[in-house]
Amino acid sequence: MTTHPANNVPENIYEKIGTNLHQQPDHPIAIIKQAIYEYFARADPAFKTFDNLHPIVSVQANFDDVLVPADHVSRSPNDTYYVDDKTVLRCHTSAHQLELLQRGERAFLITGDVYRRDSIDATHYPVFHQMEGLRVYSPADWGSQDPTEFAEQQLKKGLEGLAQHLFGKVEMRWIDAYFPFTEPSFELEILFKGQWLEVLGCGVTQQSIIDKGGFEGHKAWAFGLGLERLAMVLYDVPDIRLFWSRDSRFLSQFKDGQLNTRFKPFSKYPPCYKDVAFWISDSFTENNLCELVRAIAGDLVEEVKLLDSFTHPKTNKTSHCYRIVYRSMDRSLTDEEINELQWKVRKDIEEKLKVELR
């Protein structure tokens, strides 16, 4: 860990670096990754795979090289883990896109752990796994066809095939979207169990990125997807924390090469609810609160939820009341444990977030 004043990475996040769930045999994240690799190996043998690129990257690579605006909210320390003022824990695998292009790679898949300061609930975790794909085409590939239209057609054809490979024959639709590094941009949704589900984001890569990568006069498409999101849907996993569990009752249910497994829940231990209310300061953010709670309770915290917000009519001060849900994935928590955790949370909320407890 660094003592740089810009550093906002807590120890419990640093400890996740190198865990590499996407490389662990029989782990659901690795199974999904391998299924996607196998699809592209058959659909387009030009693709190379990279899944061991280090997650600490430069601010330049994480933001500037993929055209994230200078004033974009994602650059804020409230959303991003800064190691120092020039390096971050990557927010997306797109951070390696330009690096690989400049090495001459024309078709690649990047898989890795990514890090974002976020809320606490069953579908959000500060560390998750993404896959980035990019394919470059030369003028000989599109001939007399419009190059952007050609890239879009190839993109949609390939990713519709991927969706069918993972989910079987499903109804699909394309939604216009916005990403700073692609234009046009799209999201692919599938009709799954009666609901439309976003599978991935994608688009035709911005020409300035391709040119800077050394492929002037070429066209490319790119996509990005979250492996946890796909695994939760495919395997019916109800809580994202389970992917980090070492409990054999969870891990033994999955085998390499099997996409049709359905997670069988084991005994769910009872939750414990604790509320905390305080007058917020001007600098208060919910992400800072969630980081503080996670640093104390780790994976014993299941959810942090705003219950009430109240502004005093005379003082104009605003009060927030949050409910913290504690629940272990593998055992019952004692009252003593919960009370000690909550005492530490209340103490740190007051001291570190500069708020006034009620």
Side-chain angles (χ1 to χ4, degrees):
M1 294 178 64
T2 175
T3 58
H4 192 281
N7 180 277
N8 66 343
V9 186
E11 187 173 353
N12 63 305
I13 298 299
Y14 266 116
E15 290 172 350
K16 301 292 187 185
I17 297 175
T19 305
N20 296 331
L21 299 183
H22 62 291
Q23 296 178 348
Q24 296 184 11
D26 296 325
H27 194 283
I29 301 300
I31 296 169
I32 301 290
K33 177 201 77 171
Q34 194 58 40
I36 299 173
Y37 281 3
E38 290 170 358
Y39 166 77
F40 278 100
R42 291 196 297 268
D44 189 343
F47 274 90
K48 295 182 182 179
T49 60
F50 300 86
D51 63 1
N52 59 354
L53 301 175
H54 201 276
I56 297 179
V57 300
S58 68
V59 170
Q60 173 83 27
N62 197 72
F63 296 119
D64 301 300
D65 288 347
V66 288
L67 309 181
V68 176
D71 60 351
H72 196 275
V73 64
S74 64
R75 291 179 180 257
S76 166
N78 186 57
D79 293 340
T80 294
Y81 289 111
Y82 280 80
V83 178
D84 54 42
D85 58 340
K86 291 183 171 55
T87 57
V88 298
L89 296 182
R90 63 186 171 208
C91 302
H92 44 205
T93 45
S94 305
H96 302 284
Q97 193 178 96
L98 184 61
E99 168 194 351
L100 292 181
L101 285 171
Q102 290 177 338
R103 283 163 47 176
E105 302 295 348
R106 303 173 63 98
F108 52 81
L109 301 168
I110 309 166
T111 309
D113 42 331
V114 298
Y115 300 76
R116 296 180 191 173
R117 302 177 90 238
D118 212 337
S119 55
I120 298 177
D121 58 36
T123 61
H124 292 88
Y125 200 78
V127 190
F128 57 103
H129 296 77
Q130 273 192 347
M131 183 182 294
E132 170 93 3
L134 187 143
R135 178 66 160 94
V136 177
Y137 296 99
S138 64
D141 293 315
W142 63 75
S144 61
Q145 190 174 352
D146 179 84
T148 299
E149 290 181 359
F150 172 81
E152 179 182 333
Q153 290 170 2
Q154 295 300 309
L155 164 74
K156 290 182 175 179
K157 177 183 176 182
L159 296 182
E160 286 174 359
L162 173 62
Q164 290 183 343
H165 178 68
L166 295 175
F167 294 95
K169 291 186 177 181
V170 291
E171 186 177 347
M172 289 176 265
R173 68 183 184 185
W174 291 96
I175 306 296
D176 290 338
Y178 165 76
F179 306 109
F181 30 80
T182 54
E183 176 59 37
S185 302
F186 311 97
E187 291 175 347
L188 175 59
E189 295 185 348
I190 63 169
L191 188 61
F192 189 76
K193 295 183 178 180
Q195 293 186 327
W196 285 104
L197 171 74
E198 179 192 337
V199 175
L200 52 82
C202 60
V204 178
T205 308
Q206 290 279 13
Q207 194 60 43
S208 61
I209 296 176
I210 299 303
D211 292 347
K212 191 174 180 180
F215 288 94
E216 295 87 350
H218 291 63
K219 277 291 179 183
W221 56 252
F223 76 88
L225 55 81
L227 293 175
E228 276 85 350
R229 179 177 178 81
L230 293 181
M232 291 181 79
V233 172
L234 283 167
Y235 295 133
D236 286 337
V237 175
D239 192 316
I240 196 170
R241 292 178 299 162
L242 280 164
F243 294 120
W244 294 89
S245 172
R246 297 179 181 177
D247 193 320
S248 62
R249 292 174 297 176
F250 175 73
L251 295 174
S252 64
Q253 296 189 38
F254 306 96
K255 296 297 179 186
D256 287 341
Q258 297 181 5
L259 288 177
N260 59 354
T261 302
R262 292 296 176 267
F263 170 63
K264 297 180 177 61
F266 39 87
S267 298
K268 193 167 186 180
Y269 295 93
C272 180
Y273 303 96
K274 293 289 185 179
D275 296 346
V276 58
F278 46 84
W279 299 105
I280 67 171
S281 62
D282 291 339
S283 62
F284 173 80
T285 70
E286 190 168 297
N287 276 357
N288 284 340
L289 172 64
C290 290
E291 282 298 307
L292 182 150
V293 175
R294 270 203 187 97
I296 293 170
D299 286 351
L300 297 181
V301 59
E302 180 175 271
E303 185 178 25
V304 174
K305 181 180 181 180
L306 179 65
L307 291 183
D308 182 63
S309 180
F310 164 76
T311 300
H312 195 285
K314 293 183 178 179
T315 65
N316 209 34
K317 293 169 63 176
T318 298
S319 170
H320 283 181
C321 179
Y322 284 90
R323 172 155 293 170
I324 303 174
V325 182
Y326 298 98
R327 190 202 311 254
S328 171
M329 307 299 291
D330 53 20
R331 63 186 177 86
S332 292
L333 298 174
T334 66
D335 290 340
E336 290 77 10
E337 285 180 286
I338 297 300
N339 289 336
E340 183 176 357
L341 289 173
Q342 187 68 4
W343 179 84
K344 291 179 179 178
V345 165
R346 289 177 60 86
K347 180 174 179 291
D348 277 12
I349 285 176
E350 189 169 35
E351 293 179 357
K352 296 182 178 180
L353 300 187
K354 307 302 181 185
V355 300
E356 180 184 347
L357 292 174
R358 294 184 61 192

